[in-house]
């Protein structure tokens, strides 16, 4: 248990569906992230939020829409996805965005997404 | 050139031996380096961080950093079957926007 909770753990959706992934962190952190992990590829940073404000969109297609209502919650809204979007989506949090020592990034257990 | 590069393996090591995992990175100005362990079907968990040149030891794990050569390594002594996992190297690159960048990971198998 890392203090970062993701739901659902598994999701199967059709290409015309709309669904959302949810992330909640109980660590009092200010920064939250969405990462995508595909087979045989590095973890890809998708979005970064700091104090609820989006600070980075790593050229993610608009069919992925993040929402951060407060520092503890992060959503990833999904619509008209493609089969190649099937992957493990990991939420993470850290105290802040600095690269200073001690600012560790903690990951949730991930949401396995399959697009059919 | 990949920003963070690892040998994808698989790397097989006999139980009780030393497992050596290597990682190179492209940004000479990087200051923060991390090793994460990821079991199959699970999320990555941080096992070591290192910020200064030299060795940092934590139990059976030793991280080694050489900024001049731009590599960071992880040694696992007295390898156990429970160490079998994918090990991800991560670096905070300093291209004007600090972000944690991961390598593809090295799959390690400890053979009993």
């Amino acid at each position: 248990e890392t203090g970062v909770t993701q739901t659902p753990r598994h999701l199967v959706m059709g290409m015309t569906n709309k669904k959302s992934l949810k992330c909640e962190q109980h660590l009092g952190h200010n920064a939250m992230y969405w990462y995508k992990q595909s087979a045989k590829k590095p973890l890809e940073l998708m979005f970064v939020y700091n104090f609820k404000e989006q600070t980075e969109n790593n050229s993610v297609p608009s069919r992925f829409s993040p929402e951060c209502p407060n520092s503890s919650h992060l959503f990833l809204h999904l619509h008209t996805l493609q089969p190649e979007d099937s992957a493990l989506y990991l939420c993470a949090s850290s105290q802040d965005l600095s690269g200073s020592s001690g600012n560790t990034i903690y990951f949730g257990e991930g949401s396995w997404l399959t697009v059919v | 050139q990949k920003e963070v590069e690892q040998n994808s393996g698989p790397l097989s090591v006999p139980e009780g031996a030393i497992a050596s995992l290597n990682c190179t990175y492209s940004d000479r100005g990087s200051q923060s380096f991390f090793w994460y362990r990821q079991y199959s079907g699970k999320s990555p968990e941080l096992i070591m961080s290192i910020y200064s040149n030299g060795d940092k030891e934590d139990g059976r794990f030793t991280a080694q950093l050489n900024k001049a050569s731009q590599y960071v390594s992880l040694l696992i002594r007295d390898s156990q079957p429970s160490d079998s996992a994918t090990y991800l190297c991560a670096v905070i690159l300093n291209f004007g926007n600090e972000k944690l960048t991961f390598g593809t990971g090295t799959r390690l198998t400890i053979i009993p």
Side-chain angles (χ1 to χ4, degrees):
Chain A
E1 177 60 51
T2 63
V4 181
T5 305
Q6 290 186 242
T7 55
R9 295 295 314 281
H10 298 270
L11 177 63
V12 179
M13 60 186 289
M15 288 190 283
T16 58
N17 290 159
K18 288 185 181 181
K19 297 286 184 183
S20 296
L21 306 180
K22 178 184 176 183
C23 176
E24 182 176 2
Q25 56 96 0
H26 311 275
L27 301 169
H29 288 166
N30 299 313
M32 296 188 76
Y33 313 78
W34 279 116
Y35 281 86
K36 175 183 177 182
Q37 189 173 35
S38 306
K40 299 186 179 178
K41 287 187 179 180
L43 271 166
E44 300 171 54
L45 180 64
M46 299 175 73
F47 301 104
V48 181
Y49 278 81
N50 193 36
F51 291 99
K52 303 189 303 178
E53 299 299 319
Q54 187 179 116
T55 61
E56 181 152 349
N57 176 337
N58 203 24
S59 303
V60 181
S62 60
R63 57 186 185 269
F64 295 92
S65 174
E67 178 189 0
C68 189
N70 54 61
S71 293
S72 299
H73 293 84
L74 186 63
F75 296 88
L76 188 61
H77 302 301
L78 315 168
H79 61 100
T80 58
L81 294 192
Q82 304 298 311
E84 59 265 28
D85 296 323
S86 299
L88 176 65
Y89 289 85
L90 289 160
C91 175
S93 72
S94 63
Q95 186 60 50
D96 54 47
L97 293 183
S98 76
S100 62
S101 72
N103 189 39
T104 302
I105 289 182
Y106 294 93
F107 287 89
E109 291 291 324
S111 295
W112 286 95
L113 173 66
T114 302
V115 181
V116 296
Chain B
Q1 182 189 6
K2 295 179 183 177
E3 293 175 321
V4 180
E5 197 152 358
Q6 295 180 255
N7 187 328
S8 61
L11 175 66
S12 296
V13 173
E15 183 176 356
I18 295 175
S20 177
L21 304 161
N22 299 312
C23 173
T24 58
Y25 57 95
S26 59
D27 178 21
R28 185 172 289 277
S30 299
Q31 299 294 326
S32 305
F33 308 87
F34 307 86
W35 282 100
Y36 283 80
R37 177 178 61 199
Q38 187 174 24
Y39 291 114
S40 181
K42 299 291 187 180
S43 62
E45 58 174 322
L46 180 70
I47 53 172
M48 290 286 284
S49 59
I50 187 167
Y51 305 92
S52 304
N53 274 329
D55 295 0
K56 179 182 177 183
E57 189 174 316
D58 183 0
R60 295 186 297 111
F61 298 97
T62 299
Q64 299 175 318
L65 175 61
N66 184 322
K67 291 185 179 179
S69 300
Q70 295 175 233
Y71 83 76
V72 56
S73 61
L74 180 70
L75 302 178
I76 307 175
R77 289 183 302 281
D78 188 24
S79 298
Q80 305 295 311
S82 59
D83 295 326
S84 298
T86 296
Y87 288 81
L88 303 171
C89 172
V91 178
I92 293 185
L93 303 175
N94 288 325
F95 292 124
N97 184 11
E98 293 181 346
K99 61 177 185 178
L100 193 62
T101 302
F102 286 83
T104 52
T106 298
R107 191 152 58 93
L108 174 66
T109 300
I110 305 301
I111 303 167

